[in-house]
Amino acid sequence: MEDKKSPADSTVTLAHIMSAHDTNLYGTVHGGVVMKLVDDAAGAAAARHAGCPAVTASVDRMSFIAPARVGDLLTVNAQVEYAGRTSMDVGVRVTAERWNAPGPATEVVTAHLTFVAVDADGTPHAVPALVPVTPQERALHERAGARRAERAASRAASRGQDGA
């Protein structure tokens, strides 16, 4: 296992053309279809960083900004933004290129997920440290660290309320 990696080392891009099979009764792509693409790309980015399989631990936030439609080319970009001892926070951005409306791609979804690296037995596995290089990577790293702290505080508060 490498000691350190940059966020760019984990970057994954998936592209998928949406078909009628992917849509709901309103003619827009099912949220679950997009969620699967997000999870696939984020999982690949986490595994790329960890150098071993990684499993989804949580979805911190998934915001649907605009609908995707039949014929749209969805591009899913995922990158590890923070790495702990065995877990990684992955940021995902999904854009749509409209086949019938030339112009720039439209942002349709943003998401933040947490993954845990695991060995063949499903036991958590240590991951390389993440070293952000660019100012943007450092800003994303800082925000991901804040989300991690919020999750930890929320878990602690929940345990206190449950008496556990």
Side-chain angles (χ1 to χ4, degrees):
M1 175 180 73
E2 294 180 43
D3 288 350
K4 299 176 184 177
K5 289 186 176 180
S6 75
D9 294 329
S10 69
T11 300
V12 169
T13 301
L14 301 178
H16 190 79
I17 297 172
M18 297 291 100
S19 70
H21 176 75
D22 299 316
T23 62
N24 57 32
L25 295 174
Y26 303 106
T28 58
V29 175
H30 282 286
V33 169
V34 179
M35 291 170 78
K36 180 175 183 342
L37 293 172
V38 165
D39 192 50
D40 287 347
R48 182 173 276 173
H49 179 80
C52 64
V55 296
T56 311
S58 70
V59 178
D60 291 341
R61 172 171 288 149
M62 187 169 298
S63 299
F64 291 84
I65 300 162
R69 296 181 177 84
V70 169
D72 286 356
L73 174 65
L74 292 193
T75 302
V76 186
N77 294 295
Q79 185 177 60
V80 173
E81 296 178 348
Y82 193 98
R85 191 178 63 76
T86 62
S87 66
M88 297 150 286
D89 285 41
V90 181
V92 182
R93 181 174 181 258
V94 182
T95 59
E97 292 178 50
R98 311 275 188 220
W99 66 271
N100 61 351
T106 302
E107 186 171 61
V108 294
V109 171
T110 60
H112 293 97
L113 298 87
T114 302
F115 285 79
V116 174
V118 294
D119 62 19
D121 297 322
T123 303
H125 185 277
V127 301
L130 186 73
V131 181
V133 177
T134 69
Q136 181 183 11
E137 289 172 350
R138 287 191 286 275
L140 292 170
H141 185 264
E142 189 174 306
R143 288 195 294 268
R147 282 192 305 277
R148 289 174 72 87
E150 288 174 17
R151 281 195 310 273
S154 178
R155 282 191 305 271
S158 292
R159 280 188 291 249
Q161 291 174 355
D162 295 341

